[in-house]
Amino acid sequence: MQEKQISMVVLAGGASSRMGRDKSDLTIEGKTFLEMQIEKGKKLGISDILLSGYHGEKKYEYPIISDRFPGKGPLGGLEACFCKAKNPYCLVLGVDVPLVPADELAALIRQAQNSDEKAVILSHSGHEEPLMGVYRTELADAMLEEITQRKGAVFAFLRRNGYECYESQAPDWYFSNINDPETYKEIVRKHFK
């Protein structure tokens, strides 16, 4: 998929309540989680990168998009960003999964480009990851309906609108969701020391 066809949304607006501080600004080997995700987008040739809900310390050259309907979780962030995205496809990546390899995302993008479904999400060892996926930006209207008329749950939305999975064979630790201090310390200790 050429860069002009795909935008990227980094979901960086969570409350970080379990972590106790903004996950976006946590670092591994001197790079913040958010920097790590932005670098992947750039490596994939994506120039239209949107930061959903980031309220951390650092300044970035990319637009920070606020939810139009606060308190609606990830789907609220995606809806606001999809309305601003410049391209028909959008790579979606949570900021708290900073270890996902760029080549896995490239394979995910390739599958999405050849899929009839409006969303392709990454799956590993039977775990489906809706916040590691490629969505068609035309889903913004359906997302708006989901967050204003229902609970706004991502999986309920996907089941209603259809999706398929890209099955990754990469080791599971690459997809670690780093949400609390214990997981953060453990990942750094095991893989980066």
Side-chain angles (χ1 to χ4, degrees), residues 13-163:
S16 297
S17 50
R18 283 182 284 174
M19 187 60 77
R21 59 191 179 120
D22 197 319
K23 290 180 285 194
S24 302
D25 293 335
L26 293 172
T27 60
I28 289 178
E29 296 188 327
K31 290 182 184 161
T32 69
F33 284 14
L34 187 49
E35 285 168 337
M36 292 168 81
Q37 302 303 52
I38 289 169
E39 272 184 16
K40 285 179 197 122
K42 287 161 76 171
K43 186 175 179 182
L44 293 165
I46 301 171
S47 57
D48 184 38
I49 298 175
L50 306 168
L51 310 181
S52 172
Y54 176 65
H55 43 254
E57 309 274 314
K58 297 194 76 150
K59 297 282 180 251
Y60 293 95
E61 62 185 285
Y62 301 102
I64 297 167
I65 310 296
S66 298
D67 293 13
R68 299 189 319 147
F69 300 90
K72 294 294 185 177
L75 212 56
L78 292 180
E79 186 273 336
C81 288
F82 282 18
C83 288
K84 305 269 188 199
K86 296 175 180 168
N87 299 299
Y89 291 89
C90 218
L91 172 64
V92 170
L93 206 49
V95 79
D96 51 8
V97 285
L99 308 177
V100 180
D103 56 356
E104 287 298 306
L105 298 175
L108 174 71
I109 290 167
R110 280 193 299 276
Q111 182 168 325
Q113 184 182 32
N114 294 307
S115 173
D116 292 329
E117 295 290 355
K118 292 182 180 169
V120 177
I121 64 171
L122 190 141
S123 175
H124 60 98
S125 302
H127 300 285
E128 294 183 357
E129 302 282 1
L131 303 183
M132 290 181 230
V134 176
Y135 291 71
R136 294 195 193 175
T137 48
E138 69 191 48
L139 285 167
D141 289 343
M143 288 176 174
L144 178 61
E145 183 181 313
E146 191 75 32
I147 60 179
T148 56
Q149 297 178 18
R150 299 182 193 94
K151 290 184 179 166
V154 179
F155 267 123
F157 169 79
L158 285 169
R159 281 192 288 273
R160 200 168 277 113
N161 290 279
Y163 72 101

Side-chain angles (χ1 to χ4, degrees), residues 28-29 99 171 173-174 176 185-193:
I28 289 178
E29 296 188 327
L99 308 177
W173 71 271
Y174 281 123
S176 298
K185 285 182 198 139
E186 181 74 0
I187 289 285
V188 171
R189 185 184 64 76
K190 279 174 83 173
H191 301 288
F192 295 96
K193 287 291 183 200

